[in-house]
Amino acid sequence: MSNNKIFISAGDLSGEIHAANLIREIKKINPSCRISSAGGANLKSVSDNFIEDIVNINAFGFLPIKPFFFLKNVLKKLVTYFETEKPDKVILTDYYGFHIHVAKAAKKLNIPVYYYVSPQVWASRKGRIKTLAKNIKKMLCILPFEEKLYKENGVDAVFAGNPLIDTVPEKNKFEISNPPLIGLFPGSRKNVIKKHMPVILETAKILKEKLNADFIMFGVNKNAEHKLPEYIKFEAGNDFEKRKLIDIAICPSGTVSLENSLLGIPMAVMYKLSYFNYFLIKMIAKVKYITLANILAGKAIVPEFIQFDAKPENIANSVIEQLNPEVYPLKVKDLLEFRKVLGKPGVSKRTAEIILND
């Protein structure tokens, strides 16, 4: 099959970084391939034709009205693009709520669809697997247990490894700094940051009083720096070398928690949603844990503080417990074990080869 024109889409920052790395590998294998994309700044920088920014619309959970109509218009643009340009392959990265409609549109035009970074159907709404089976050619999984789940449900799937293996270094620091250096991660989406920031700041205040700790807040919005007390430094972007310096993290579940696991950074995971979204998700969730380290281990390696449990006192106490000199090295060692189960380096290259040779 020809690989001269490929469309790729990603709807959030972490997925977009993986998608951009995949494009780089596709271009290395086939330099003449023309890439069109929808996503954000990362995808725009590596694409020949950028169609729309869908990363920075804050569309998370049960869609607000404005993003819904925006994405509806984007879908129309993509259908027109598919009809006129007829790409050889379509690659979709996570973001099921929008991408399943893109997959259906491509399928109608007989354009093969490759899904990179599986939506977390194993956590809730497994019925989505049947819809995926009807509309995609192959699922490129990034968690080892996903391949079997999809194959059992009639989806051609392969686990090529987790792309974070290629980008996240390994922390070699088993000793606690004096004073301890604590990393704060409020999240990347505006609505998540709004919920998390008050809890994180109050937690930091408690830890400053009890441990005289130092703090770095890692974020994507430099304006957040103006909201911070003087004892919290702000670091824009995602500098892993600077993250390696922190002793422990307070962070949401999702990609950042898996990155911290691979770095070997103990953490307290917190997550707060609006009450409406929380109760809806609680009704449909099928997993005991929300942190990938705990899901992969099948036990609570990382303490989780969800919704009503996400109180500053609870989180601060967990951080203090984990910074016990006898506990800390064991925590680091347990987390570094996850590197062994998430594949060998070269994930983006292997994924590109699978898609181009299929």
Side-chain angles (χ1 to χ4, degrees):
M1 183 179 287
S2 173
N3 292 307
N4 292 324
K5 286 194 291 187
I6 290 176
F7 170 78
I8 188 164
S9 178
D12 59 36
L13 183 61
S14 59
E16 188 204 14
I17 291 169
H18 298 328
N21 287 333
L22 179 60
I23 286 178
R24 291 184 182 96
E25 295 300 330
I26 288 173
K27 286 280 195 177
K28 287 178 187 176
I29 298 168
N30 181 11
S32 64
C33 181
R34 181 174 169 80
I35 303 289
S36 296
S37 68
N42 290 285
L43 273 175
K44 188 175 183 178
S45 69
V46 294
S47 300
D48 301 292
N49 173 38
F50 187 70
I51 298 172
E52 192 67 72
D53 186 335
I54 60 172
V55 168
N56 297 303
I57 61 169
N58 203 32
F60 169 69
F62 299 88
L63 286 181
I65 298 299
K66 221 173 171 181
F68 173 82
F69 284 106
F70 172 78
L71 289 173
K72 192 173 180 181
N73 287 329
V74 173
L75 182 61
K76 287 180 182 178
K77 278 188 184 181
L78 297 184
V79 170
T80 300
Y81 163 78
F82 292 159
E83 290 172 343
T84 57
E85 296 294 325
K86 297 180 173 59
D88 299 310
K89 290 174 178 175
V90 165
I91 304 171
L92 306 174
T93 313
D94 201 359
Y95 208 54
Y96 178 92
F98 175 65
H99 280 156
I100 193 59
H101 299 291
V102 180
K104 289 176 180 178
K107 173 75 172 177
K108 283 183 182 178
L109 296 167
N110 296 314
I111 303 169
V113 177
Y114 297 82
Y115 214 117
Y116 181 44
V117 184
S118 164
Q120 294 181 349
V121 292
W122 39 267
S124 65
R125 293 172 279 191
K126 285 188 179 180
R128 289 178 167 183
I129 299 178
K130 293 180 180 178
T131 308
L132 287 164
K134 293 175 184 176
N135 293 287
I136 69 170
K137 186 173 184 187
K138 190 183 290 288
M139 176 65 72
L140 288 306
C141 305
I142 66 167
L143 296 174
F145 60 84
E146 292 176 332
E147 180 180 339
K148 182 182 177 185
L149 173 65
Y150 279 107
K151 284 183 173 178
E152 287 175 347
N153 286 275
V155 180
D156 184 8
V158 60
F159 171 64
N162 193 296
L164 291 177
I165 289 291
D166 291 340
T167 58
V168 180
E170 185 173 334
K171 177 183 169 83
N172 298 311
K173 183 171 177 283
F174 286 75
E175 303 82 24
I176 304 165
S177 307
N178 186 21
L181 180 58
I182 300 174
L184 308 175
F185 300 81
S188 59
R189 298 183 180 96
K190 289 180 182 177
N191 53 348
V192 173
I193 294 171
K194 186 178 178 181
K195 288 283 184 183
H196 288 181
M197 191 67 83
V199 178
I200 286 176
L201 292 180
E202 184 59 32
T203 304
K205 185 180 178 182
I206 295 170
L207 291 169
K208 187 66 179 174
E209 291 171 356
K210 291 190 175 183
L211 301 178
N212 193 32
D214 291 329
F215 302 89
I216 301 178
M217 179 170 286
F218 293 83
V220 294
N221 179 8
K222 210 161 189 177
N223 291 332
E225 187 174 13
H226 301 300
K227 304 173 185 176
L228 305 181
E230 59 180 11
Y231 55 82
I232 300 178
K233 295 179 182 177
F234 182 81
E235 179 66 34
N238 200 18
D239 187 329
F240 287 121
E241 290 305 312
K242 289 183 179 176
R243 276 172 71 173
K244 282 169 71 173
L245 300 175
I246 65 176
D247 297 301
I248 195 166
I250 299 169
C251 65
S253 60
T255 300
V256 67
S257 72
L258 187 55
E259 289 171 345
N260 286 337
S261 298
L262 293 174
L263 282 161
I265 298 172
M267 66 196 113
V269 165
M270 61 165 288
Y271 213 92
K272 293 194 79 170
L273 296 162
S274 69
Y275 292 133
F276 176 72
N277 278 349
Y278 170 71
F279 285 115
L280 281 176
I281 288 173
K282 193 169 175 62
M283 284 191 290
I284 60 178
K286 305 295 181 185
V287 289
K288 186 175 181 181
Y289 306 109
I290 67 164
T291 307
L292 283 168
N294 292 342
I295 292 168
L296 288 167
K299 58 182 180 180
I301 291 175
V302 176
E304 298 179 347
F305 301 93
I306 312 303
Q307 203 67 7
F308 306 111
D309 291 328
K311 296 175 181 177
E313 297 81 5
N314 295 344
I315 299 168
N317 288 337
S318 173
V319 169
I320 292 168
E321 287 170 12
Q322 292 182 77
L323 287 174
N324 181 314
E326 294 182 5
V327 173
Y328 186 80
L330 301 176
K331 286 277 185 181
V332 175
K333 187 178 178 181
D334 280 346
L335 291 169
L336 289 176
E337 287 295 309
F338 291 110
R339 299 192 77 92
K340 297 176 183 177
V341 301
L342 291 178
K344 297 178 181 178
V347 176
S348 297
K349 181 182 177 182
R350 284 197 299 276
T351 303
E353 290 171 342
I354 290 168
I355 293 172
L356 295 179
N357 294 328
D358 191 54

